[in-house]
Amino acid sequence: MCSIRKRHIWKSRIFVKVEANNNTVLPFIKCKKMFPIRCIRRRSMDFILKGVILTTICLFIVHMTSSYPKGGISQRTLDSMQNQQQTPVPVKKRENFEESIDSNVEQQSKKDNPFVAQPTVKSLQPAAKMDRPSREEEFYKNVIIHFDLKGAPPKVDYFLEMLRLIAKGGATGILLEWEDMFPWTGKLEQFKNTDAYSDDDVDSILNEAKNLKLDVIPLVQTFGHLEWILKYEEMRKFRENDAYPQVLCLGNEEGVEYVKEMIRQVVKKHSKYGIPFFHIGADEAFEFGVCQESLDWIKKNGKTGGKQLLALAHLKAIAEFAKQEINADAQILAWHDMLKDFDPRLIKNLELGQIVQPVVWDYSENIITLNDYIFSTLADNFPTMWASSAYKGANYPSASASEVRHYETNNRNWIKTKQAQERKFKNGLQGIIITGWQRYDHLAGLCETLPIGTASMMLQMQIALNAPSTDMETTRRQAGKLLGCQGFNVDGVTIVSNQCNYKGFQTYVIYQSEVPNLFSRINGELGKNHHLMGWANRYNKKYNISQNWYHKEMLPFVQSLVQQYERVENDLRASMKDLFFDNTIDEFIYENLGEMSEKLHGYVDEIQRLDKLRAWPKRHFPIRK
């Protein structure tokens, strides 16, 4: 009998035993031929490695879900809001959108819920520190919405509605530029607007803001943009240049006292509601240091600094005065555009950076007015700054319709600017002020009014709250849901949606959709009417020569266009009645619709006049150029 030969072959973790006689292969688990402790060690290392990988994946998922997007509103909340919204208001109905807010909302973070509680307390309460959730770790610590009251100031009820809307949207505060709408008293009383708010009106506005946990930043112009008071004959003596009423004669102590009195009255009214920040304006002072008192001051005090030292000394004195009137903790803000042009050494010597925080504004789409040098120079003297974008009133001076994409691009690019420049400032950025100018200055015409700019305002706010994310689809969707809109379009001057349910939407739709369609139709009809072109043109009207036979066909035609125009104008007036004072409505209609009205009624008047002629001039008569 032959001897049996055995071969043992190891294959990976399987031990194979081969019998020579019958070629039988018998597999055995390797672990059975190993010592138990060695097996345990290998299995343990395997489990540990898998555990580390799984833990890493879990931590990564948790991190991503908790950090993106910052400051935004969760989709679940927005979906819940959409379910709670009322049926969209048809264009022809008066809207008065209100939404109930759960009593426990104020306990939740704005990151999880956009609503802010609306307490029913009617009596005025002492000033208290805002107890809303901290935004210290957010991209913008403060998101402030600007209300410019020097044009188209809203009625109080509409103003309160706007405050509730921005609080619901997540804003942390408002910048109030009172100008001549404040209930000035004493020597300032004669300069207030005939529609100025009363003391009770201001209390209602400030109390509502406080209940909504909105910081209120008063803005009082103290250097430039004092047209509202320097325009008067009795105030001419306080101008830097008599021809231009913008700038206060800085060297005139009596004139400066008027500015201090403005600060006193505003601070007194705001103090019981809290004044964490106070804005002293100081932008666009195009000419200063030329009045006699200013020249005398420069001769005495500014031999080395000239008129720049005069301006900076004025700003420091005003800032210190404001802090003195409020309290030492109040932070004083000023626009940056004058500061950036002043000698940094003078700013440093005056230690202006210890008392003033510059608000750096740029309303261009690509932030083209600012560069690295400007930020670096400001950072050398100012430990912190604020950004300032726009939601309306910063396209061009006569822009009355809202181009939402323009402002969307501006706010999106401010995110990139902040990311690139913030590190230069020792204490970073305090936040962003999203401005909504109503006029370029007191003597200019109206820009986009509040109902025209509301959709843009809500969108720009969401961009700031969602930063640093620049996902435009998300922010548009959020803005649309907050406004109760079906969709949110940002194409040119096309309306954002055909149906929304925020107060002012009817005015927005009529002005930005119906009015341009009407004007286009009327101009088209006038331009192709042969009777008007042949017997009621400039030549006919100027030289009193026309064919009476055609007047009987012209007049009904033009009168029908007048009726179409007046129907839309009346609808627009009715939609604005609850939003604005009558004077504002008249100004808006005159400025934006008046030319068409004059054109149509001019045709009617001229046709009727020409129709009375019974004799006509001999040709040829002289044509006057």
PDB file of all heavy atoms in Angstrom, residues 291-324:
ATOM      1  N   CYS A 291     -18.085 129.319   4.032  1.00  0.00           N
ATOM      2  CA  CYS A 291     -18.784 130.435   4.661  1.00  0.00           C
ATOM      3  C   CYS A 291     -17.790 131.199   5.538  1.00  0.00           C
ATOM      4  O   CYS A 291     -16.735 130.677   5.921  1.00  0.00           O
ATOM      5  CB  CYS A 291     -19.976 129.948   5.480  1.00  0.00           C
ATOM      6  SG  CYS A 291     -19.543 128.934   6.910  1.00  0.00           S
ATOM      7  N   GLN A 292     -18.105 132.426   5.877  1.00  0.00           N
ATOM      8  CA  GLN A 292     -17.151 133.266   6.586  1.00  0.00           C
ATOM      9  C   GLN A 292     -16.782 132.690   7.949  1.00  0.00           C
ATOM     10  O   GLN A 292     -15.616 132.693   8.339  1.00  0.00           O
ATOM     11  CB  GLN A 292     -17.726 134.691   6.774  1.00  0.00           C
ATOM     12  CG  GLN A 292     -16.721 135.687   7.335  1.00  0.00           C
ATOM     13  CD  GLN A 292     -15.463 135.787   6.486  1.00  0.00           C
ATOM     14  OE1 GLN A 292     -15.537 136.008   5.267  1.00  0.00           O
ATOM     15  NE2 GLN A 292     -14.292 135.594   7.084  1.00  0.00           N
ATOM     16  N   GLU A 293     -17.758 132.171   8.667  1.00  0.00           N
ATOM     17  CA  GLU A 293     -17.471 131.612   9.995  1.00  0.00           C
ATOM     18  C   GLU A 293     -16.557 130.390   9.891  1.00  0.00           C
ATOM     19  O   GLU A 293     -15.686 130.183  10.744  1.00  0.00           O
ATOM     20  CB  GLU A 293     -18.778 131.238  10.709  1.00  0.00           C
ATOM     21  CG  GLU A 293     -19.649 132.411  11.093  1.00  0.00           C
ATOM     22  CD  GLU A 293     -20.613 132.796   9.987  1.00  0.00           C
ATOM     23  OE1 GLU A 293     -20.367 132.395   8.809  1.00  0.00           O
ATOM     24  OE2 GLU A 293     -21.613 133.488  10.271  1.00  0.00           O
ATOM     25  N   SER A 294     -16.761 129.586   8.853  1.00  0.00           N
ATOM     26  CA  SER A 294     -15.893 128.418   8.652  1.00  0.00           C
ATOM     27  C   SER A 294     -14.477 128.852   8.297  1.00  0.00           C
ATOM     28  O   SER A 294     -13.493 128.275   8.784  1.00  0.00           O
ATOM     29  CB  SER A 294     -16.460 127.515   7.554  1.00  0.00           C
ATOM     30  OG  SER A 294     -17.659 126.895   7.968  1.00  0.00           O
ATOM     31  N   LEU A 295     -14.366 129.870   7.455  1.00  0.00           N
ATOM     32  CA  LEU A 295     -13.033 130.395   7.101  1.00  0.00           C
ATOM     33  C   LEU A 295     -12.319 130.938   8.327  1.00  0.00           C
ATOM     34  O   LEU A 295     -11.101 130.736   8.495  1.00  0.00           O
ATOM     35  CB  LEU A 295     -13.169 131.480   6.033  1.00  0.00           C
ATOM     36  CG  LEU A 295     -13.630 131.006   4.648  1.00  0.00           C
ATOM     37  CD1 LEU A 295     -13.909 132.209   3.739  1.00  0.00           C
ATOM     38  CD2 LEU A 295     -12.590 130.091   4.011  1.00  0.00           C
ATOM     39  N   ASP A 296     -13.066 131.595   9.190  1.00  0.00           N
ATOM     40  CA  ASP A 296     -12.472 132.119  10.427  1.00  0.00           C
ATOM     41  C   ASP A 296     -11.992 130.980  11.324  1.00  0.00           C
ATOM     42  O   ASP A 296     -10.921 131.067  11.939  1.00  0.00           O
ATOM     43  CB  ASP A 296     -13.496 132.981  11.175  1.00  0.00           C
ATOM     44  CG  ASP A 296     -13.820 134.279  10.435  1.00  0.00           C
ATOM     45  OD1 ASP A 296     -13.023 134.667   9.553  1.00  0.00           O
ATOM     46  OD2 ASP A 296     -14.868 134.881  10.733  1.00  0.00           O
ATOM     47  N   TRP A 297     -12.792 129.913  11.394  1.00  0.00           N
ATOM     48  CA  TRP A 297     -12.405 128.763  12.227  1.00  0.00           C
ATOM     49  C   TRP A 297     -11.132 128.133  11.690  1.00  0.00           C
ATOM     50  O   TRP A 297     -10.231 127.784  12.458  1.00  0.00           O
ATOM     51  CB  TRP A 297     -13.533 127.732  12.232  1.00  0.00           C
ATOM     52  CG  TRP A 297     -13.358 126.617  13.234  1.00  0.00           C
ATOM     53  CD1 TRP A 297     -13.894 126.536  14.477  1.00  0.00           C
ATOM     54  CD2 TRP A 297     -12.547 125.436  13.071  1.00  0.00           C
ATOM     55  NE1 TRP A 297     -13.490 125.384  15.109  1.00  0.00           N
ATOM     56  CE2 TRP A 297     -12.657 124.687  14.267  1.00  0.00           C
ATOM     57  CE3 TRP A 297     -11.747 124.939  12.051  1.00  0.00           C
ATOM     58  CZ2 TRP A 297     -12.001 123.477  14.454  1.00  0.00           C
ATOM     59  CZ3 TRP A 297     -11.086 123.733  12.248  1.00  0.00           C
ATOM     60  CH2 TRP A 297     -11.217 123.005  13.418  1.00  0.00           C
ATOM     61  N   ILE A 298     -11.064 127.965  10.381  1.00  0.00           N
ATOM     62  CA  ILE A 298      -9.882 127.351   9.764  1.00  0.00           C
ATOM     63  C   ILE A 298      -8.646 128.201  10.016  1.00  0.00           C
ATOM     64  O   ILE A 298      -7.563 127.681  10.341  1.00  0.00           O
ATOM     65  CB  ILE A 298     -10.117 127.159   8.245  1.00  0.00           C
ATOM     66  CG1 ILE A 298     -11.220 126.120   8.014  1.00  0.00           C
ATOM     67  CG2 ILE A 298      -8.829 126.733   7.547  1.00  0.00           C
ATOM     68  CD1 ILE A 298     -11.680 126.037   6.574  1.00  0.00           C
ATOM     69  N   LYS A 299      -8.803 129.496   9.895  1.00  0.00           N
ATOM     70  CA  LYS A 299      -7.673 130.404  10.125  1.00  0.00           C
ATOM     71  C   LYS A 299      -7.159 130.309  11.549  1.00  0.00           C
ATOM     72  O   LYS A 299      -5.945 130.378  11.800  1.00  0.00           O
ATOM     73  CB  LYS A 299      -8.110 131.839   9.817  1.00  0.00           C
ATOM     74  CG  LYS A 299      -6.987 132.862   9.940  1.00  0.00           C
ATOM     75  CD  LYS A 299      -7.475 134.240   9.544  1.00  0.00           C
ATOM     76  CE  LYS A 299      -6.343 135.270   9.663  1.00  0.00           C
ATOM     77  NZ  LYS A 299      -6.821 136.636   9.271  1.00  0.00           N
ATOM     78  N   LYS A 300      -8.069 130.093  12.479  1.00  0.00           N
ATOM     79  CA  LYS A 300      -7.696 130.034  13.894  1.00  0.00           C
ATOM     80  C   LYS A 300      -7.239 128.649  14.333  1.00  0.00           C
ATOM     81  O   LYS A 300      -6.278 128.521  15.104  1.00  0.00           O
ATOM     82  CB  LYS A 300      -8.886 130.471  14.741  1.00  0.00           C
ATOM     83  CG  LYS A 300      -8.622 130.458  16.247  1.00  0.00           C
ATOM     84  CD  LYS A 300      -9.857 130.912  17.015  1.00  0.00           C
ATOM     85  CE  LYS A 300      -9.603 130.874  18.514  1.00  0.00           C
ATOM     86  NZ  LYS A 300     -10.806 131.309  19.273  1.00  0.00           N
ATOM     87  N   ASN A 301      -7.892 127.605  13.829  1.00  0.00           N
ATOM     88  CA  ASN A 301      -7.647 126.252  14.362  1.00  0.00           C
ATOM     89  C   ASN A 301      -7.107 125.243  13.359  1.00  0.00           C
ATOM     90  O   ASN A 301      -6.596 124.193  13.761  1.00  0.00           O
ATOM     91  CB  ASN A 301      -8.958 125.673  14.926  1.00  0.00           C
ATOM     92  CG  ASN A 301      -9.590 126.575  15.955  1.00  0.00           C
ATOM     93  OD1 ASN A 301      -9.047 126.774  17.036  1.00  0.00           O
ATOM     94  ND2 ASN A 301     -10.737 127.147  15.617  1.00  0.00           N
ATOM     95  N   GLY A 302      -7.240 125.549  12.081  1.00  0.00           N
ATOM     96  CA  GLY A 302      -6.944 124.507  11.106  1.00  0.00           C
ATOM     97  C   GLY A 302      -5.822 124.819  10.154  1.00  0.00           C
ATOM     98  O   GLY A 302      -5.920 124.489   8.962  1.00  0.00           O
ATOM     99  N   LYS A 303      -4.782 125.409  10.627  1.00  0.00           N
ATOM    100  CA  LYS A 303      -3.673 125.779   9.743  1.00  0.00           C
ATOM    101  C   LYS A 303      -3.034 124.547   9.102  1.00  0.00           C
ATOM    102  O   LYS A 303      -2.539 124.602   7.983  1.00  0.00           O
ATOM    103  CB  LYS A 303      -2.640 126.580  10.518  1.00  0.00           C
ATOM    104  CG  LYS A 303      -3.144 127.949  10.959  1.00  0.00           C
ATOM    105  CD  LYS A 303      -2.067 128.736  11.691  1.00  0.00           C
ATOM    106  CE  LYS A 303      -2.589 130.099  12.124  1.00  0.00           C
ATOM    107  NZ  LYS A 303      -1.567 130.887  12.856  1.00  0.00           N
ATOM    108  N   THR A 304      -3.013 123.435   9.824  1.00  0.00           N
ATOM    109  CA  THR A 304      -2.393 122.225   9.271  1.00  0.00           C
ATOM    110  C   THR A 304      -3.409 121.287   8.631  1.00  0.00           C
ATOM    111  O   THR A 304      -3.071 120.524   7.731  1.00  0.00           O
ATOM    112  CB  THR A 304      -1.649 121.453  10.375  1.00  0.00           C
ATOM    113  OG1 THR A 304      -2.566 121.142  11.438  1.00  0.00           O
ATOM    114  CG2 THR A 304      -0.512 122.292  10.935  1.00  0.00           C
ATOM    115  N   GLY A 305      -4.656 121.352   9.092  1.00  0.00           N
ATOM    116  CA  GLY A 305      -5.664 120.430   8.567  1.00  0.00           C
ATOM    117  C   GLY A 305      -6.663 121.064   7.634  1.00  0.00           C
ATOM    118  O   GLY A 305      -7.383 120.359   6.932  1.00  0.00           O
ATOM    119  N   GLY A 306      -6.736 122.388   7.616  1.00  0.00           N
ATOM    120  CA  GLY A 306      -7.641 123.083   6.718  1.00  0.00           C
ATOM    121  C   GLY A 306      -9.098 122.710   6.938  1.00  0.00           C
ATOM    122  O   GLY A 306      -9.529 122.406   8.055  1.00  0.00           O
ATOM    123  N   LYS A 307      -9.854 122.708   5.853  1.00  0.00           N
ATOM    124  CA  LYS A 307     -11.286 122.456   5.981  1.00  0.00           C
ATOM    125  C   LYS A 307     -11.596 121.006   6.348  1.00  0.00           C
ATOM    126  O   LYS A 307     -12.664 120.711   6.898  1.00  0.00           O
ATOM    127  CB  LYS A 307     -12.007 122.848   4.693  1.00  0.00           C
ATOM    128  CG  LYS A 307     -11.678 122.011   3.478  1.00  0.00           C
ATOM    129  CD  LYS A 307     -12.504 122.485   2.284  1.00  0.00           C
ATOM    130  CE  LYS A 307     -12.312 121.600   1.060  1.00  0.00           C
ATOM    131  NZ  LYS A 307     -13.148 122.060  -0.083  1.00  0.00           N
ATOM    132  N   GLN A 308     -10.662 120.082   6.075  1.00  0.00           N
ATOM    133  CA  GLN A 308     -10.886 118.696   6.497  1.00  0.00           C
ATOM    134  C   GLN A 308     -10.918 118.597   8.020  1.00  0.00           C
ATOM    135  O   GLN A 308     -11.751 117.885   8.584  1.00  0.00           O
ATOM    136  CB  GLN A 308      -9.791 117.786   5.938  1.00  0.00           C
ATOM    137  CG  GLN A 308      -9.918 117.511   4.455  1.00  0.00           C
ATOM    138  CD  GLN A 308      -9.032 116.356   4.003  1.00  0.00           C
ATOM    139  OE1 GLN A 308      -8.522 115.577   4.816  1.00  0.00           O
ATOM    140  NE2 GLN A 308      -8.841 116.235   2.699  1.00  0.00           N
ATOM    141  N   LEU A 309     -10.012 119.319   8.657  1.00  0.00           N
ATOM    142  CA  LEU A 309      -9.995 119.320  10.118  1.00  0.00           C
ATOM    143  C   LEU A 309     -11.285 119.927  10.657  1.00  0.00           C
ATOM    144  O   LEU A 309     -11.838 119.449  11.663  1.00  0.00           O
ATOM    145  CB  LEU A 309      -8.788 120.098  10.636  1.00  0.00           C
ATOM    146  CG  LEU A 309      -8.635 120.149  12.167  1.00  0.00           C
ATOM    147  CD1 LEU A 309      -8.522 118.742  12.740  1.00  0.00           C
ATOM    148  CD2 LEU A 309      -7.428 120.992  12.553  1.00  0.00           C
ATOM    149  N   LEU A 310     -11.777 120.981   9.999  1.00  0.00           N
ATOM    150  CA  LEU A 310     -13.050 121.588  10.390  1.00  0.00           C
ATOM    151  C   LEU A 310     -14.172 120.560  10.351  1.00  0.00           C
ATOM    152  O   LEU A 310     -14.952 120.431  11.312  1.00  0.00           O
ATOM    153  CB  LEU A 310     -13.369 122.751   9.445  1.00  0.00           C
ATOM    154  CG  LEU A 310     -14.784 123.317   9.493  1.00  0.00           C
ATOM    155  CD1 LEU A 310     -15.035 124.013  10.830  1.00  0.00           C
ATOM    156  CD2 LEU A 310     -15.025 124.281   8.333  1.00  0.00           C
ATOM    157  N   ALA A 311     -14.280 119.822   9.247  1.00  0.00           N
ATOM    158  CA  ALA A 311     -15.345 118.832   9.098  1.00  0.00           C
ATOM    159  C   ALA A 311     -15.215 117.705  10.121  1.00  0.00           C
ATOM    160  O   ALA A 311     -16.203 117.301  10.747  1.00  0.00           O
ATOM    161  CB  ALA A 311     -15.324 118.260   7.686  1.00  0.00           C
ATOM    162  N   LEU A 312     -14.000 117.217  10.314  1.00  0.00           N
ATOM    163  CA  LEU A 312     -13.791 116.110  11.253  1.00  0.00           C
ATOM    164  C   LEU A 312     -14.029 116.542  12.691  1.00  0.00           C
ATOM    165  O   LEU A 312     -14.596 115.775  13.492  1.00  0.00           O
ATOM    166  CB  LEU A 312     -12.377 115.559  11.092  1.00  0.00           C
ATOM    167  CG  LEU A 312     -12.117 114.792   9.784  1.00  0.00           C
ATOM    168  CD1 LEU A 312     -10.626 114.527   9.592  1.00  0.00           C
ATOM    169  CD2 LEU A 312     -12.893 113.480   9.771  1.00  0.00           C
ATOM    170  N   ALA A 313     -13.615 117.754  13.025  1.00  0.00           N
ATOM    171  CA  ALA A 313     -13.857 118.269  14.374  1.00  0.00           C
ATOM    172  C   ALA A 313     -15.360 118.404  14.626  1.00  0.00           C
ATOM    173  O   ALA A 313     -15.859 118.121  15.728  1.00  0.00           O
ATOM    174  CB  ALA A 313     -13.159 119.613  14.560  1.00  0.00           C
ATOM    175  N   HIS A 314     -16.086 118.832  13.586  1.00  0.00           N
ATOM    176  CA  HIS A 314     -17.546 118.939  13.708  1.00  0.00           C
ATOM    177  C   HIS A 314     -18.172 117.563  13.939  1.00  0.00           C
ATOM    178  O   HIS A 314     -19.020 117.406  14.827  1.00  0.00           O
ATOM    179  CB  HIS A 314     -18.111 119.568  12.437  1.00  0.00           C
ATOM    180  CG  HIS A 314     -19.614 119.539  12.367  1.00  0.00           C
ATOM    181  ND1 HIS A 314     -20.414 120.379  13.103  1.00  0.00           N
ATOM    182  CD2 HIS A 314     -20.466 118.737  11.643  1.00  0.00           C
ATOM    183  CE1 HIS A 314     -21.690 120.119  12.836  1.00  0.00           C
ATOM    184  NE2 HIS A 314     -21.743 119.124  11.953  1.00  0.00           N
ATOM    185  N   LEU A 315     -17.755 116.579  13.150  1.00  0.00           N
ATOM    186  CA  LEU A 315     -18.313 115.231  13.296  1.00  0.00           C
ATOM    187  C   LEU A 315     -18.022 114.656  14.674  1.00  0.00           C
ATOM    188  O   LEU A 315     -18.890 114.030  15.295  1.00  0.00           O
ATOM    189  CB  LEU A 315     -17.750 114.316  12.209  1.00  0.00           C
ATOM    190  CG  LEU A 315     -18.218 114.587  10.778  1.00  0.00           C
ATOM    191  CD1 LEU A 315     -17.561 113.617   9.811  1.00  0.00           C
ATOM    192  CD2 LEU A 315     -19.732 114.487  10.677  1.00  0.00           C
ATOM    193  N   LYS A 316     -16.812 114.883  15.165  1.00  0.00           N
ATOM    194  CA  LYS A 316     -16.474 114.359  16.493  1.00  0.00           C
ATOM    195  C   LYS A 316     -17.306 115.036  17.570  1.00  0.00           C
ATOM    196  O   LYS A 316     -17.829 114.372  18.479  1.00  0.00           O
ATOM    197  CB  LYS A 316     -14.987 114.565  16.777  1.00  0.00           C
ATOM    198  CG  LYS A 316     -14.574 113.999  18.145  1.00  0.00           C
ATOM    199  CD  LYS A 316     -13.089 114.145  18.414  1.00  0.00           C
ATOM    200  CE  LYS A 316     -12.748 113.541  19.780  1.00  0.00           C
ATOM    201  NZ  LYS A 316     -11.298 113.673  20.093  1.00  0.00           N
ATOM    202  N   ALA A 317     -17.449 116.345  17.466  1.00  0.00           N
ATOM    203  CA  ALA A 317     -18.228 117.078  18.470  1.00  0.00           C
ATOM    204  C   ALA A 317     -19.688 116.631  18.469  1.00  0.00           C
ATOM    205  O   ALA A 317     -20.302 116.453  19.533  1.00  0.00           O
ATOM    206  CB  ALA A 317     -18.126 118.583  18.209  1.00  0.00           C
ATOM    207  N   ILE A 318     -20.248 116.428  17.280  1.00  0.00           N
ATOM    208  CA  ILE A 318     -21.646 115.996  17.176  1.00  0.00           C
ATOM    209  C   ILE A 318     -21.803 114.576  17.713  1.00  0.00           C
ATOM    210  O   ILE A 318     -22.778 114.261  18.418  1.00  0.00           O
ATOM    211  CB  ILE A 318     -22.127 116.083  15.722  1.00  0.00           C
ATOM    212  CG1 ILE A 318     -22.265 117.547  15.293  1.00  0.00           C
ATOM    213  CG2 ILE A 318     -23.445 115.351  15.535  1.00  0.00           C
ATOM    214  CD1 ILE A 318     -23.289 118.344  16.076  1.00  0.00           C
ATOM    215  N   ALA A 319     -20.863 113.698  17.375  1.00  0.00           N
ATOM    216  CA  ALA A 319     -20.931 112.316  17.863  1.00  0.00           C
ATOM    217  C   ALA A 319     -20.848 112.274  19.378  1.00  0.00           C
ATOM    218  O   ALA A 319     -21.593 111.537  20.043  1.00  0.00           O
ATOM    219  CB  ALA A 319     -19.812 111.492  17.239  1.00  0.00           C
ATOM    220  N   GLU A 320     -19.950 113.044  19.949  1.00  0.00           N
ATOM    221  CA  GLU A 320     -19.817 113.096  21.417  1.00  0.00           C
ATOM    222  C   GLU A 320     -21.073 113.677  22.052  1.00  0.00           C
ATOM    223  O   GLU A 320     -21.516 113.214  23.112  1.00  0.00           O
ATOM    224  CB  GLU A 320     -18.588 113.914  21.795  1.00  0.00           C
ATOM    225  CG  GLU A 320     -17.283 113.222  21.462  1.00  0.00           C
ATOM    226  CD  GLU A 320     -16.062 114.084  21.765  1.00  0.00           C
ATOM    227  OE1 GLU A 320     -16.212 115.336  21.829  1.00  0.00           O
ATOM    228  OE2 GLU A 320     -14.967 113.520  21.952  1.00  0.00           O
ATOM    229  N   PHE A 321     -21.657 114.671  21.402  1.00  0.00           N
ATOM    230  CA  PHE A 321     -22.881 115.266  21.931  1.00  0.00           C
ATOM    231  C   PHE A 321     -24.013 114.241  21.928  1.00  0.00           C
ATOM    232  O   PHE A 321     -24.786 114.139  22.899  1.00  0.00           O
ATOM    233  CB  PHE A 321     -23.272 116.491  21.096  1.00  0.00           C
ATOM    234  CG  PHE A 321     -24.555 117.131  21.535  1.00  0.00           C
ATOM    235  CD1 PHE A 321     -24.583 117.987  22.623  1.00  0.00           C
ATOM    236  CD2 PHE A 321     -25.749 116.865  20.864  1.00  0.00           C
ATOM    237  CE1 PHE A 321     -25.775 118.584  23.041  1.00  0.00           C
ATOM    238  CE2 PHE A 321     -26.945 117.448  21.275  1.00  0.00           C
ATOM    239  CZ  PHE A 321     -26.951 118.309  22.363  1.00  0.00           C
ATOM    240  N   ALA A 322     -24.133 113.469  20.848  1.00  0.00           N
ATOM    241  CA  ALA A 322     -25.182 112.459  20.764  1.00  0.00           C
ATOM    242  C   ALA A 322     -25.010 111.404  21.852  1.00  0.00           C
ATOM    243  O   ALA A 322     -25.986 111.008  22.512  1.00  0.00           O
ATOM    244  CB  ALA A 322     -25.176 111.807  19.379  1.00  0.00           C
ATOM    245  N   LYS A 323     -23.789 110.934  22.064  1.00  0.00           N
ATOM    246  CA  LYS A 323     -23.536 109.945  23.125  1.00  0.00           C
ATOM    247  C   LYS A 323     -23.877 110.522  24.489  1.00  0.00           C
ATOM    248  O   LYS A 323     -24.413 109.835  25.360  1.00  0.00           O
ATOM    249  CB  LYS A 323     -22.076 109.491  23.091  1.00  0.00           C
ATOM    250  CG  LYS A 323     -21.754 108.530  21.963  1.00  0.00           C
ATOM    251  CD  LYS A 323     -20.310 108.069  21.996  1.00  0.00           C
ATOM    252  CE  LYS A 323     -20.054 107.076  23.110  1.00  0.00           C
ATOM    253  NZ  LYS A 323     -20.622 105.743  22.824  1.00  0.00           N
ATOM    254  N   GLN A 324     -23.562 111.771  24.669  1.00  0.00           N
ATOM    255  CA  GLN A 324     -23.856 112.436  25.941  1.00  0.00           C
ATOM    256  C   GLN A 324     -25.364 112.497  26.182  1.00  0.00           C
ATOM    257  O   GLN A 324     -25.838 112.280  27.305  1.00  0.00           O
ATOM    258  CB  GLN A 324     -23.280 113.851  25.921  1.00  0.00           C
ATOM    259  CG  GLN A 324     -23.625 114.702  27.141  1.00  0.00           C
ATOM    260  CD  GLN A 324     -23.123 116.131  26.975  1.00  0.00           C
ATOM    261  OE1 GLN A 324     -22.042 116.369  26.437  1.00  0.00           O
ATOM    262  NE2 GLN A 324     -23.925 117.080  27.405  1.00  0.00           N
TER     263      GLN A 324
END
